[in-house]
Amino acid sequence: MYNTWSLDVFYSGIDDPKLASDMERVEATIGHFREAVAALDKENAAATLRRVIEVKEELTVLIRRLAGYFSLRRSADSSDSEGASYQTKISALIASTTKDNVLFQKFAGDLPNLDSVIESDELLSQYKFYFEEIKNDMSHMMSDEAEALFARMNISGGRAWGDLFSHLTSTVKVDYNGETTSLSAIRGLADSEDPDVRKAAFEAEIACYDKIKDSIAFSLNSIKAQVNLEAELRGYEDPLAMTLAQSRMKKATLDAMLEAMREAMPAFRKYLRHKAKLLGYENGLPWYEILAPMGEAGSDSFTVEYAHEYLVEHFSSFAPDLADMVDRAFKEEWIDFYPRAGKVGGAFCSNLPFAGQSRILTNFSGSFGSVVTLAHELGHAYHGEQIQSHRPLNTGYTMPVAETASNFNELIIVNDAIAKSEGEEKIRLIESQIQDSTQIIVDIYSRFLFEDEVIRRRKDTFLYANDLEEIMINAQKESYGDGLDHNCLHPYMWCCKSHYYRAGLSYYNFPYAFGGLFSRGLYAKYLEEGDAFLPKYRELLRATTVDTVENVAAIAGIDLTRPDFWRESLKTITDQIDMFIAETSK
């Protein structure tokens, strides 16, 4: 307890007989799936579709359990060779079903009376949105053989390049203060109280990329080449259009959000210039000072035990069911807390609908920020609780709404802390929240610009490490403007962000801005409506897996396609910036 997570909800280990049994069951169930697809019959559409769905549900639960287990094992220990071997086998099994999946989707999508067929069967009717998506995706499907080949090639293509990135960044040795440490540990010093530590850690981080940047450049080039090819083969205008379709999100929504973000950039740059002056810099803030804490820290230093107590207490006043889930997460060992060699950096949450639980990875340091990170990931777990009542094929939410509950949780914790603080501690908390907002608005915009440029140029050019460095620096200059010292930017941000290295998930950047701003809009609704907001909030989270982004927001009375909503959310941040500057200029 209070150390590493337990994966016993999956299997007790590699030697667990249940694991061998599930591997056998997957192969048998794939055979049943093929038989069910082969038996599809337009004259008996409802019954034969139902049989396919039943087998797909069984196969989905099995695959999620197996794939989830090995993914979590390797996140905690990237040198897990047994896990890597199983992952390869499972990926091959998944890929082997592609052709049959395509045949099933084409059969369903071509049914002229699909709506009436769905309505005639209780199980199928629960998959109304699922079938609507199949019908909408028909125009972007490749041939049966091409879909199957593409899926199998991805195992040794995009997925393998992503694995290489994870391995390199989790095992690279960083030389610091005469000792060797990990990349995640050195990056964790970016918010140190000691300015000398922040600068030295940054310099050590930058130096370590020389060891891996060329290999990572090949990873990024290969993944983005595959993404460009897939978008072309599927008939999308570009990978961004493909990503928006996968996100169930309109281009008008993205455009409205980016327009409002660009309008707000001067306020963020004003904040960065002011922070620079407070820290004694005249030409903007050096990169290594972006996360520098301001004001004075409170007396609280968090152990994991104290974080447990603190989060349960604070969430109890918002939603008792959230507090209960948080208590379970700590007591039932859902969380892997501390950094160590071989463990991936950052933090994430993996929902396990089949078990009614989640698993959370963090790199806990004992700071208030670590507690906020825990709150964030527990928000993902709460989101997972809201979708557990859905059928197995209805439990996937898209990138933009994925950050809703997590950011909402952050607002609860940080706003409460601000309200209960005063003086230098209050300034520290306000600046910390502005700092976080700067990351999800300004830095995310730079990441969006970088990835967009890389994808466009990769169509006909190989981008070496120095090319990627230049693109990143230019993106940071455009986004941060004169808020940062242009002589001290971060040319290797593409080397440490895993979001670029998923062949099936491009532009995993704007969803963070979406989640941060959408959650602020929802939080404002909560402050207006009080307890009456909670049922609406739970309904909204539950709908994220079975509706479009725009329709989900409409549950709370929000129109995402208009810049006004995004401007209102951004104003809550820019008002904080004005307050911070006023308070620290006295």
Side-chain angles (χ1 to χ4, degrees):
M1 189 171 176
Y2 298 143
N3 189 5
T4 59
W5 53 30
S6 168
L7 300 183
D8 289 351
V9 70
F10 295 93
Y11 309 103
S12 61
I14 292 282
D15 298 330
D16 189 338
K18 186 181 173 187
L19 173 56
S21 173
D22 278 355
M23 289 295 290
E24 291 176 5
R25 281 182 61 203
V26 165
E27 296 192 37
T29 307
I30 287 173
H32 299 155
F33 177 55
R34 288 185 177 132
E35 291 168 5
V37 170
L40 283 167
D41 179 7
K42 289 186 177 179
E43 297 301 317
N44 198 12
T48 55
L49 274 180
R50 181 188 179 94
R51 174 57 183 156
V52 172
I53 290 295
E54 288 172 340
V55 180
K56 273 182 73 70
E57 286 187 334
E58 181 183 358
L59 184 58
T60 296
V61 172
L62 276 169
I63 289 290
R64 283 178 180 167
R65 183 157 57 229
L66 286 161
Y69 176 63
F70 291 109
S71 176
L72 291 172
R73 276 178 59 116
R74 295 199 68 210
S75 295
D77 179 9
S78 62
S79 63
D80 177 10
S81 58
E82 287 182 303
S85 177
Y86 269 97
Q87 276 189 311
T88 301
K89 292 175 188 174
I90 293 163
S91 296
L93 288 169
I94 296 170
S96 73
T97 67
T98 302
K99 185 174 180 178
D100 302 285
N101 264 311
V102 172
L103 290 170
F104 155 66
Q105 290 169 12
K106 287 184 175 179
F107 174 87
D110 284 338
L111 281 175
N113 60 336
L114 178 60
D115 291 343
S116 60
V117 168
I118 293 169
E119 290 170 6
S120 71
D121 185 278
E122 183 182 352
L123 174 63
L124 297 181
S125 65
Q126 295 180 66
Y127 283 111
K128 186 172 187 286
F129 183 74
Y130 175 82
F131 281 108
E132 284 176 2
E133 285 201 299
I134 287 176
K135 200 163 188 175
N136 292 336
D137 289 345
M138 285 291 291
S139 62
H140 295 292
M141 295 185 73
M142 297 182 276
S143 69
D144 307 348
E145 292 76 13
E147 290 282 1
L149 179 61
F150 202 92
R152 295 182 69 181
M153 290 292 289
N154 182 56
I155 298 170
S156 57
R159 183 175 184 133
W161 287 112
D163 287 344
L164 175 62
F165 165 83
S166 296
H167 176 73
L168 290 170
T169 52
S170 62
T171 59
V172 65
K173 292 178 175 150
V174 184
D175 300 318
Y176 177 69
N177 279 353
E179 297 180 354
T180 298
T181 187
S182 66
L183 181 56
S184 61
I186 203 72
R187 284 179 57 77
L189 297 176
D191 61 355
S192 168
E193 297 287 339
D194 188 335
D196 293 333
V197 169
R198 295 194 296 268
K199 183 176 181 181
F202 174 75
E203 290 171 348
E205 178 196 348
I206 293 296
C208 89
Y209 292 122
D210 268 338
K211 304 173 185 178
I212 58 175
K213 66 180 183 180
D214 291 331
S215 299
I216 291 180
F218 272 80
S219 294
L220 187 59
N221 273 271
S222 300
I223 288 170
K224 297 315 178 190
Q226 179 172 314
V227 166
N228 276 323
L229 176 61
E230 182 176 4
E232 178 186 338
L233 293 174
R234 294 194 181 283
Y236 287 102
E237 181 182 351
D238 52 34
L240 180 58
M242 184 167 68
T243 296
L244 289 168
Q246 293 168 344
S247 301
R248 304 171 189 153
M249 177 173 162
K250 294 178 180 176
K251 179 70 158 47
T253 295
L254 177 63
D255 289 344
M257 183 180 75
L258 292 177
E259 178 183 342
M261 285 168 58
R262 283 190 288 266
E263 290 172 357
M265 289 298 170
F268 286 96
R269 293 165 186 161
K270 180 173 68 173
Y271 149 70
L272 291 165
R273 290 194 305 273
H274 182 72
K275 181 172 181 175
K277 287 183 180 178
L278 292 175
L279 292 173
Y281 301 99
E282 294 298 326
N283 298 315
L285 202 64
W287 187 276
Y288 54 82
E289 297 288 43
I290 288 177
L291 302 184
M294 305 294 295
E296 293 180 6
S299 58
D300 288 343
S301 177
F302 288 88
T303 62
V304 171
E305 291 86 350
Y306 183 27
H308 178 180
E309 177 188 332
Y310 184 92
L311 291 172
V312 169
E313 178 187 344
H314 281 71
F315 286 133
S316 294
S317 61
F318 167 64
D321 62 326
L322 171 57
D324 290 344
M325 185 217 72
V326 170
D327 193 39
R328 286 179 59 214
F330 279 87
K331 288 178 176 176
E332 297 175 7
E333 300 179 321
W334 294 11
I335 309 171
D336 191 305
F337 289 99
Y338 300 107
R340 59 182 178 271
K343 178 179 174 179
V344 298
F348 68 77
C349 173
S350 178
N351 296 144
L352 315 177
F354 66 86
Q357 300 180 13
S358 292
R359 287 296 177 271
I360 291 167
L361 179 143
T362 72
N363 282 273
F364 189 82
S365 68
S367 67
F368 179 68
S370 292
V371 178
V372 173
T373 297
L374 274 172
H376 180 102
E377 300 307 333
L378 286 162
H380 288 302
Y382 186 65
H383 195 166
E385 282 218 330
Q386 306 313 307
I387 62 174
Q388 282 172 17
S389 59
H390 282 308
R391 306 289 308 188
L393 306 184
N394 280 343
T395 57
Y397 45 76
T398 64
M399 293 191 306
V401 291
E403 296 300 328
T404 303
S406 54
N407 281 292
F408 196 98
N409 268 16
E410 282 196 38
L411 287 168
I412 292 171
I413 296 300
V414 177
N415 285 353
D416 182 75
I418 289 172
K420 292 177 179 175
S421 63
E422 56 185 22
E424 286 292 312
E425 183 183 355
K426 192 182 195 79
I427 287 173
R428 185 185 185 93
L429 289 169
I430 291 171
E431 196 277 332
S432 177
Q433 197 172 48
I434 296 170
Q435 184 186 110
D436 290 343
S437 297
T438 303
Q439 287 297 294
I440 65 167
I441 302 300
V442 187
D443 198 62
I444 284 298
Y445 186 54
S446 74
R447 294 190 222 172
F448 176 84
L449 293 172
F450 170 81
E451 186 165 7
D452 198 52
E453 179 77 4
V454 168
I455 285 173
R456 286 190 290 106
R457 286 176 59 175
R458 187 62 188 97
K459 288 179 181 178
D460 52 20
T461 305
F462 184 91
L463 300 164
Y464 288 94
N466 61 312
D467 299 314
L468 296 169
E469 292 167 36
E470 181 183 4
I471 296 170
M472 180 57 79
I473 289 294
N474 288 339
Q476 288 170 358
K477 287 179 178 177
E478 182 172 344
S479 186
Y480 283 96
D482 61 1
L484 294 188
D485 181 348
H486 288 189
N487 293 315
C488 188
L489 299 175
H490 196 317
Y492 298 114
M493 282 296 282
W494 54 275
C495 281
C496 61
K497 292 297 179 184
S498 61
H499 308 76
Y500 300 123
Y501 298 88
R502 301 184 185 186
L505 194 60
S506 302
Y507 291 97
Y508 197 3
N509 34 61
F510 71 77
Y512 284 92
F514 182 104
L517 296 175
F518 185 45
S519 62
R520 278 182 171 268
L522 291 175
Y523 189 76
K525 295 271 185 184
Y526 164 60
L527 294 179
E528 266 179 46
E529 302 172 17
D531 289 345
F533 171 79
L534 290 178
K536 196 183 300 181
Y537 180 58
R538 295 186 188 105
E539 179 190 355
L540 180 151
L541 292 177
R542 188 174 187 274
T544 54
T545 63
V546 291
D547 216 332
T548 65
V549 166
E550 289 76 21
N551 287 344
V552 165
I555 293 171
I558 295 169
D559 182 356
L560 298 176
T561 62
R562 299 184 59 196
D564 288 349
F565 166 75
W566 305 105
R567 289 174 181 139
E568 289 168 9
S569 290
L570 281 158
K571 189 174 186 303
T572 66
I573 306 171
T574 57
D575 284 349
Q576 274 191 321
I577 289 173
D578 290 338
M579 179 171 64
F580 169 72
I581 292 175
E583 287 295 317
T584 53
S585 297
K586 294 176 180 177

